[in-house]
Amino acid sequence: MSDVAFEPGFSRSEALRRATQALKQAGHTEARGDARFLCLHLLGLTPTDLALRGDAPIGPAGADALTQALTRRLRGEPVARILGEWEFRGLTFALSAGTLVPRPDTETLVDSALRLGTVPSPTILDLGTGSGCILIALLGEWPGARGLGVDLSEDALSTARTNAARNGVGDRAAFLRGDWCEAVRGPFDLIVSNPPYIASGVIPTLSEEVRRYDPAAALDGGPDGLDAYRAIVDGLAARPGLLAADGALLLEIGYDQAEAVAGLGRDAGFRVAGIDRDLTGHARVVTLRPPFDVTSVGNKVVR
């Protein structure tokens, strides 16, 4: 694809201009932003480098990296997948085939948890941890906290361990392969989850970037999109010692699932403590608390 080839003698500014132009011509609505992300990351630049030293040549390695990356982007691969990492709440997270790209919507879940207030050294359970971004972000905000991330994907667990270490919380985070809460014992002060919540029939209508590059297991929530929520709330209700008596379960939801998920929680014996909205105004997080008698004698985290 000669029209996206970069030459070592191109300046940084020229490389950015050409990348932006190629993406615009291909119909990418975020052409400028995508091109800027690729240039900054692949050339190892800061925004200041690009602004003040834009006339510096990109060199052979930079030309090769940009040519390959832009070719992949023009074929539909998301920028985050090309870079192999993405930012979430100011932290950088490695990605893999078994993990979703952390999205701004999920920051609402972290914000909701932080607003709750909790015991001085809370224990956290993250169900379907993926890249570990939720758990790791919370551990970063609560220096005394400890957490356990659970996922069925060994690939995701390996990536989450890497992310915990690179973000300085590896000594306070453990990761375990399991099916939702079946593999663990409590009590936990906080249980969080961003489970798959897209109805199976909707999957084929998603954007190509999501269909082709996000793991299907992290997207498909069953016929009505609620299978994972049923498994989580029913599993916790059947084993009340998993959630501390004054603890909370926070669930990220699809924009139209608030009432359905709240209803599942009520049916399982939880009290609906709140529904928080994301920056676009959509309901995004359902908070459930246990009204039932919680006993925790003999419980411990299984690592």
Side-chain angles (χ1 to χ4, degrees):
M1 300 178 69
S2 60
D3 58 328
V4 296
F6 291 81
E7 299 294 337
F10 286 173
S11 69
R12 296 164 174 175
S13 297
E14 177 68 4
L16 175 60
R17 187 190 68 78
R18 287 175 179 262
T20 302
Q21 183 180 33
L23 291 171
K24 281 183 177 179
Q25 290 176 344
H28 289 259
T29 57
E30 301 296 330
R32 173 72 180 182
D34 287 356
R36 186 174 176 82
F37 264 115
L38 293 173
C39 287
L40 289 176
H41 284 260
L42 295 174
L43 298 177
L45 306 176
T46 65
T48 300
D49 293 330
L50 192 57
L52 300 183
R53 292 177 285 278
D55 57 346
I58 60 175
D64 182 61
L66 285 175
T67 297
Q68 293 186 41
L70 190 58
T71 298
R72 291 167 66 182
R73 185 70 188 106
L74 290 170
R75 290 173 178 168
E77 189 170 353
V79 171
R81 297 292 179 186
I82 296 170
L83 299 178
E85 63 182 31
W86 204 241
E87 186 176 289
F88 181 78
R89 288 186 63 88
L91 304 174
T92 300
F93 290 86
L95 305 176
S96 62
T99 66
L100 290 173
V101 177
R103 291 173 167 84
D105 290 344
T106 302
E107 295 194 10
T108 305
L109 177 58
V110 176
D111 291 336
S112 296
L114 294 175
R115 283 197 299 270
L116 286 178
T118 184
V119 297
S121 300
T123 53
I124 307 167
L125 175 61
D126 182 12
L127 298 173
T129 194
S131 67
C133 65
I134 297 170
L135 176 61
I136 292 165
L138 288 172
L139 292 177
E141 295 285 348
W142 286 323
R146 301 183 68 84
L148 175 66
V150 176
D151 207 291
L152 271 177
S153 167
E154 288 287 2
D155 175 76
L157 292 170
S158 176
T159 304
R161 291 187 188 100
T162 297
N163 285 326
R166 75 187 292 183
N167 285 295
V169 299
D171 60 335
R172 295 188 286 121
F175 297 93
L176 175 72
R177 187 174 188 275
D179 189 6
W180 300 122
C181 50
E182 292 181 3
V184 298
R185 297 177 184 176
F188 292 94
D189 301 298
L190 179 66
I191 301 178
V192 295
S193 184
N194 175 22
Y197 55 69
I198 300 174
S200 302
V202 176
I203 301 291
T205 71
L206 299 176
S207 69
E208 183 181 9
E209 290 187 11
V210 174
R211 292 197 318 271
R212 288 183 58 189
Y213 297 100
D214 279 344
L219 298 173
D220 195 338
D224 62 357
L226 301 176
D227 281 0
Y229 300 110
R230 294 188 184 93
I232 292 170
V233 298
D234 289 346
L236 291 176
R239 299 170 59 201
L242 288 177
L243 184 59
D246 57 352
L249 166 64
L250 277 70
L251 300 167
E252 180 171 336
I253 58 171
Y255 73 95
D256 59 351
Q257 294 175 318
E259 289 306 317
V261 173
L264 290 175
R266 293 189 190 96
D267 291 345
F270 287 88
R271 174 172 58 87
V272 179
I275 297 174
D276 293 330
R277 297 182 178 275
D278 60 25
L279 293 177
T280 66
H282 293 130
R284 187 58 60 187
V285 177
V286 172
T287 299
L288 302 175
R289 289 189 179 272
F292 41 69
D293 180 32
V294 177
T295 58
S296 59
V297 177
N299 284 331
K300 61 180 180 180
V301 175
V302 178
R303 297 188 184 277

